[in-house]
Amino acid sequence: MIKIENGYFSLQTIISEYVFCIDNEGLVRHLYWGKIIDCLRDFKFQPLTEISTNDPVYEITPEEYPVYGGLRYKESCLKVTFADGTRDICYKYTGYDIKDSTLIIKLTDIYYNLSIELYYKVYENCDLIERWTVVSNNSADALIIDEIYSAQYHLPYENLRFSNTHGHWGAEQQAFTQNVSYGKICFENRRGISGHNHNPYFILENNATETTGDVFFGVLKFSGNFRGIVEQTQYGETLVQMGLNPYDCKIVLQANEKFTTPSILAGYSNLGFEEMTYIMQLYNQEHVLTQDLRPVLYNSWEAVGFDVTCDKQQQLAKLAQDIGAELFVVDDGWFGNRNGIDNGLGDWYVNETKFPNGLQPLIDTVKNYGMKFGIWVEPEMVNPQAQLYKDHPDWIYRFDNREVTTSREQCVLNMTNKEVQDFVYNMLDDLLSNYDISYIKWDANRPISEPGAKNLGPNEQMLWYLHIEAVYNIVRKLKSKHKDVLFEACASGGGRIDYGILGIFDDFWTSDNTDAYDRLIIQNSYSKLYPIKAMRAWVTDCPNFLTQRTIPLKFRFHSAMMGTLGIGSNLLKMSDEDKELSTIMIAQYKEIRHIIQNGVFYRLTHYSTNDYYIFEYALDKEDLLFVFLPQSKLGHRPVNIKLQGLDDDIYYEFNLNNQLECKSGRYLKLKGIDIHLLGDYQSVIIKFDAK
Ligand code: DGJ
């Protein structure tokens, strides 16, 4: 709901409220973000006077969108250079508009024909407000945007804690929390492609727990270079800016051009991290993901690597179907001269040695076994040895007079070039039109370097934005034609997990690290803001190729069943006993996946002082409890778990230690149940059914 009274604006969701006003200086002044008050007339801004000549009004005013100009030294959301060299914005408020639950605040520079529109879209039921900014150059001359963030947030607190993720290939989504003090925290990505290191989101709180405390959070809908800055100022507040990374990025706006920033979805929870997760789940369910259940896939990458032949894939397809897979995905190695990382990328024709009669026989086999067919591609890349490179050496990012640095023996195609976009689109459109393909795994295995793109002329440094926009647009266009195809976002594992790609793509490849224990850590952190349904998780062989750890198959299954299940084991070598267990586990997953993929997810690990990992899923009258014990500890005690997602007044039947039990939801939530696992890598899934 949007309420407006005499220059005061209130954006209300079910639990939260966000208030700002136009103050006596004409500045868009932030007033409040938190639990709903719903009494706009109580808000009265205090006219600000400078604290001293060194603390001027513009510096101390909590502005919704501070610009670079005047007596401001704080981080600005917008800095431009006008055609005459002026680097100073002086805006005035010119009015507002409301369209489709979206408030638009209009600002214009007092001299230059520059307009700034601040967008606030209210998702009332989902408790989220989406913000973005549109800058229009309405003058006859070009201007340069030196810096532009999507939004700024103000929290009237000091000593907050900031959470994000760190990590690298094989160790994505490692959660960390640090205290915010004076000075700035900067989290960013400069690689253009991958985001293994940090994630474009902020979580700020002060001693919140899973179920208590105020939490302020925001996710950026962008997969390219982002930057977030958190700063505790000298004036008793904490600021956050997030958006496009200004690093090496300038945007030239010609006359009558405009630029729309990526948006930020921000929310407030007064019930800790669990509520924050719930808010994002609700948003994903209502606005991003479809209700259809995701299929159990088989992918042979970890099993056979580049040794992809029609014959072997057909054998694997038979075995995959035997154990219950529903989607068979051929990974890297089916095209061009692709026998390793050094060749083939760009040559998207079927390798005739590996597939003498093309892809069709394999697809027929897969379909005859009743499975869907999927295929791997890495469309943004080319190997210098590939024919595509020989034909179009100018299609990659490069600077004249500089060597192009390869990484994984490949270069990045200049996706801002229309010819390249057409090539990529046509290649994928042909694949999807000529074959019955239901799933595309879209990979990207290196970052951008030597970012030269002559086709962009003076806007060359905008490539950091345009590259990923081109990817989004190609996939959007493909999906509008090939409606039921699912796209998996992969970038050397989990390098493209963000809200820019989600909604355009359907699944995330969470990590190349498929070790079932490491995955608990990765998945736990992933679950805070990202949807379980999009979390692809495979069961693979032991010892794990990355960690050399050997973990029982049941635990491996339980860990992968936390998300959308996949199998990556070498079924050609799997024992009959393991095949039998795999068949049972996949069948069990199919019985419960509607709860996992569409239910409400809870992290209950905090109940344990003994390194248990505990998760719960609730949907209507069904509930699941996943309990993992990676390692028995000395003096090991049972863990008492209080469930979260049950109805107080309903009785639930469940099987505990091979005994059928029946307890009320209230009992299970308040008294809880004791689970005692013994030994290393023990796990159990308990299902609760309303009686
Ligand atoms: C990196 C991905 O994360 C893997 O799953 C696999 O697809 C390889 N690339 C293939 O080269």
Side-chain angles (χ1 to χ4, degrees), residues 126 278-291 531-533 594-601 618-619:
C126 297
Y278 177 72
I279 289 171
M280 291 313 295
Q281 285 180 59
L282 195 64
Y283 169 79
N284 285 317
Q285 271 166 9
E286 291 195 0
H287 298 280
V288 184
L289 302 169
T290 57
Q291 282 300 301
I532 292 294
K533 190 174 200 167
H594 60 288
I595 314 171
I596 295 167
Q597 295 183 13
N598 290 336
V600 178
F601 177 77
L619 183 71

Side-chain angles (χ1 to χ4, degrees), residues 169 172 196 299 301-302 305-306 331-333 338 341 345 376-378 408 410 441 443-445 488 490-495 509 511-512 538:
W169 174 80
E172 299 88 339
H196 297 84
N299 179 308
W301 170 249
E302 238 188 74
F306 292 104
D331 210 280
D332 197 350
R338 189 72 169 167
I341 56 172
L345 292 177
W376 178 97
V377 285
E378 194 177 356
R408 214 192 191 218
Q410 64 198 54
K441 177 176 174 185
D443 204 346
N445 282 298
E488 177 179 330
C490 168
S492 293
W509 179 223
S511 175
D512 278 347
W538 302 350

Side-chain angles (χ1 to χ4, degrees), residues 469-483:
E469 280 294 312
V471 172
Y472 294 161
N473 288 335
I474 288 170
V475 176
R476 279 194 194 107
K477 196 167 152 197
L478 287 167
K479 284 183 117 182
S480 70
K481 184 166 173 196
H482 307 279
K483 295 213 176 338

Side-chain angles (χ1 to χ4, degrees), residues 37-109:
I37 300 172
D38 192 23
C39 199
L40 198 49
R41 77 175 73 92
D42 285 351
F43 285 92
K44 288 278 171 292
F45 72 82
Q46 296 298 314
L48 291 175
T49 46
E50 64 180 23
I51 299 172
S52 77
T53 49
N54 289 301
D55 308 278
V57 167
Y58 280 22
E59 185 69 357
I60 61 176
T61 301
E63 287 177 271
E64 280 293 291
Y65 199 74
V67 293
Y68 179 82
L71 278 166
R72 285 187 189 88
Y73 306 94
K74 57 192 172 189
E75 289 290 332
S76 56
C77 283
L78 180 66
K79 178 170 184 284
V80 305
T81 306
F82 292 104
D84 61 4
T86 298
R87 302 185 314 283
D88 184 277
I89 301 172
C90 187
Y91 72 75
K92 67 172 187 302
Y93 168 72
T94 58
Y96 71 86
D97 209 349
I98 297 180
K99 281 185 208 145
D100 307 328
S101 313
T102 305
L103 171 68
I104 306 157
I105 298 293
K106 300 180 177 189
L107 312 173
T108 312
D109 187 87

Side-chain angles (χ1 to χ4, degrees), residues 240-281:
V240 187
Q241 286 102 20
M242 199 159 60
L244 195 59
N245 196 336
Y247 179 80
D248 191 45
C249 184
K250 292 210 185 319
I251 298 166
V252 181
L253 276 195
Q254 299 294 344
N256 298 317
E257 280 185 350
K258 62 180 176 187
F259 180 74
T260 303
T261 66
S263 65
I264 299 174
L265 273 171
Y268 156 79
S269 151
N270 64 332
L271 290 172
F273 303 116
E274 195 171 272
E275 180 77 13
M276 169 185 85
T277 297
Y278 177 72
I279 289 171
M280 291 313 295
Q281 285 180 59

